[in-house]
Amino acid sequence: MFPLHRERCCRHALLLLSSLPAWCLFHHVLEQPIFSARAHVFQIDPATKRNWLPASKHAVTVSFFYDASRSVYRIISVGGTKAIINSTITPNMTFTKTSQKFGQWADSRANTVYGLGFSTEQQLQQFAEQFKEVKEAARLAREKSQERFELANPALNIAAPELSEDRHSPPLLTVNGPGEEKLFRSKSAEVELTAEKERVKKMLSEGSMCEINLEAELFTLQDSNAKLVAALQEANSSVEQWKKQLAEYQEETDRLRDQVAELESQLGHPAAGQTGREELSQSLEKLEAQLRDKDQEIHNLQSKKTDVGELEKEREEAMQRLQDVERRNTELEDQVQSAEKTLASSREDQKQAEVEVRRIIEVLDVKICDLNDLRQSLAKLIDK
């Protein structure tokens, strides 16, 4: 009836039958598996009728069964040795998708609401479609059963009001199911590598901030240095001009002294040239005062030159610190690349491990089917 899921359902059904308790094994021998899926199972809280209570710690197999002897469809799921879902499907039941990966239906006979959380939206859609098909099949089976009953008992063909099986069903709740199950994830190495990568990134960010601060300080020092160099060059040019003027003044003084000596020798007495000597003395005093001022300015400029040397030394130290920070950033980048390579290798190993585990599970499924065949053969031999 449902050829697309027949082979897969048989495997899950065999696993389900091997785990069922003895009290319900007889009923399932007469039933045929139709469809199976893995999901987290929940039941509504009977006290509040609003909260979900987990019925399984992890994802379990949920299967549709058909009992041909009674024309009954049931949804069954077993956790360990306990049946956590045993719901007989009736035409009045409705499976409601409350989120992308969660669905629910109410069972008035069990007086509860079941909820299923799937790992993908596609699995939820397949389960909902299967529920709809089984519900329609249950409706047709009930109609045929009623027709046979009416034909067999014509005297009892009396119209009677039908009681809805969903009268006392609890309201459907729009409650999101839990997150999808994540299998085969061993993330200890990946988490450590991620933490190391974040730490290295943080160190790299701090190094970048330090580098930015040093660059700003270096630019400030370079600006101050440029201004001081310009002032020093201007002062040097002024000193050269003052030196030239001083040399000219000295030459002029020597020339005037020579002229005074020559005049005194020509006149023969100093009184005649006393006025000229006084003027020359005043000129000499003015020149000496100017010379002293120029010497003071030269001394000031030399002290400024010393400050420029200290700034140049600080600039060199800043450049050295900047080079150290760049070298440290390079080392941190190498560490980040190494961590990324290690993380990629770890992920690849994890993928290979997952593939190997899936292969082992497939082999175990085959072995279980073989064991079940052997079990059935032994049971036939015992019956004989």
Side-chain angles (χ1 to χ4, degrees):
M1 183 178 179
F2 303 96
L4 294 178
H5 304 285
R6 178 69 62 185
E7 182 179 356
R8 183 181 176 187
C9 292
C10 287
R11 289 187 180 182
H12 289 295
L14 291 173
L15 293 174
L16 185 63
L17 289 172
S18 63
S19 61
L20 283 174
W23 61 269
C24 62
L25 183 60
F26 174 76
H27 295 287
H28 287 284
V29 171
L30 302 177
E31 293 179 340
Q32 299 177 1
I34 298 175
F35 177 85
S36 295
R38 291 186 65 82
H40 289 272
V41 180
F42 297 84
Q43 288 187 7
I44 201 69
D45 188 356
T48 63
K49 298 294 184 180
R50 295 185 62 84
N51 300 324
W52 290 108
L53 298 177
S56 61
K57 295 181 179 179
H58 51 79
V60 295
T61 302
V62 182
S63 303
F64 287 87
F65 282 87
Y66 174 62
D67 188 353
S69 62
R70 298 186 299 163
S71 299
V72 173
Y73 294 88
R74 293 199 297 170
I75 299 177
I76 297 175
S77 178
V78 177
T81 59
K82 178 182 177 183
I84 56 180
I85 297 179
N86 186 6
S87 177
T88 301
I89 300 176
T90 64
N92 296 324
M93 287 184 177
T94 301
F95 183 83
T96 305
K97 293 187 289 184
T98 58
S99 68
Q100 292 182 352
K101 300 178 183 178
F102 191 80
Q104 63 186 37
W105 78 95
D107 189 343
S108 60
R109 295 182 179 180
N111 193 23
T112 187
V113 179
Y114 293 103
L116 298 179
F118 297 88
S119 59
T120 62
E121 186 177 357
Q122 183 180 4
Q123 293 179 359
L124 173 61
Q125 182 64 26
Q126 291 177 354
F127 190 92
E129 292 175 357
Q130 190 66 40
F131 192 99
K132 185 177 181 181
E133 293 177 4
V134 170
K135 173 184 171 182
E136 182 66 19
R139 185 185 65 80
L140 295 176
R142 170 175 287 188
E143 291 177 356
K144 290 180 181 179
S145 177
Q146 289 179 353
E147 289 175 0
R148 288 196 299 268
F149 181 79
E150 290 173 358
L151 292 175
N153 300 278
L156 298 178
N157 190 10
I158 301 174
E162 294 182 359
L163 297 178
S164 174
E165 292 186 7
D166 285 342
R167 174 182 298 177
H168 301 291
S169 298
L172 295 178
L173 303 176
T174 306
V175 181
N176 291 332
E180 56 184 330
E181 180 186 18
K182 298 179 181 178
L183 300 176
F184 310 111
R185 287 196 176 180
S186 176
K187 281 195 170 180
S188 58
E190 184 176 352
V191 169
E192 291 178 0
L193 290 174
T194 305
E196 180 67 18
K197 184 177 177 181
E198 293 296 331
R199 186 178 67 82
V200 172
K201 285 184 178 180
K202 183 177 180 181
M203 293 172 62
L204 186 61
S205 177
E206 292 177 355
S208 299
M209 292 299 297
C210 183
E211 181 181 357
I212 292 171
N213 294 333
L214 288 176
E215 286 182 354
E217 183 179 356
L218 178 61
F219 291 152
T220 304
L221 290 174
Q222 287 178 349
D223 189 19
S224 301
N225 187 32
K227 293 179 179 179
L228 289 174
V229 169
L232 182 59
Q233 291 177 353
E234 183 179 357
N236 288 333
S237 62
S238 299
V239 168
E240 294 296 331
Q241 293 178 0
W242 294 334
K243 285 182 178 180
K244 290 179 181 180
Q245 291 179 1
L246 180 59
E248 291 176 358
Y249 291 153
Q250 288 177 349
E251 290 178 358
E252 182 69 19
T253 301
D254 293 338
R255 188 178 63 80
L256 291 174
R257 285 178 180 176
D258 292 339
Q259 289 180 359
V260 170
E262 184 179 356
L263 289 173
E264 287 180 348
S265 63
Q266 290 178 359
L267 294 175
H269 51 84
Q274 184 175 2
T275 304
R277 285 197 300 270
E278 291 176 355
E279 292 176 357
L280 290 174
S281 297
Q282 293 176 356
S283 298
L284 288 174
E285 289 175 358
K286 291 179 180 180
L287 290 174
E288 288 175 355
Q290 291 179 358
L291 184 60
R292 285 193 297 270
D293 295 335
K294 298 301 180 181
D295 289 337
Q296 184 64 33
E297 291 178 359
I298 291 172
H299 180 71
N300 295 334
L301 291 173
Q302 287 177 350
S303 63
K304 289 183 178 179
K305 186 175 181 181
T306 304
D307 295 336
V308 172
E310 292 177 357
L311 291 173
E312 185 69 18
K313 184 177 179 180
E314 291 178 358
R315 186 179 68 84
E316 291 177 355
E317 291 178 356
M319 290 292 294
Q320 183 64 31
R321 285 186 291 177
L322 181 61
Q323 291 176 359
D324 294 338
V325 170
E326 290 177 351
R327 184 173 63 255
R328 184 179 178 186
N329 287 342
T330 303
E331 293 175 356
L332 291 176
E333 289 175 355
D334 293 338
Q335 292 180 5
V336 170
Q337 293 178 358
S338 177
E340 290 177 349
K341 290 180 181 178
T342 306
L343 180 60
S345 177
S346 176
R347 287 178 177 173
E348 186 66 25
D349 294 340
Q350 182 180 355
K351 290 180 180 179
Q352 293 178 0
E354 291 179 356
V355 172
E356 185 66 20
V357 169
R358 291 193 181 96
R359 188 184 65 79
I360 292 173
I361 290 175
E362 292 176 358
V363 173
L364 288 176
D365 288 341
V366 175
K367 296 295 183 182
I368 289 172
C369 290
D370 294 338
L371 289 174
N372 187 69
D373 294 337
L374 180 59
R375 178 182 174 184
Q376 291 179 357
S377 300
L378 291 174
K380 291 179 180 180
L381 289 174
I382 291 171
D383 293 336
K384 291 180 180 179

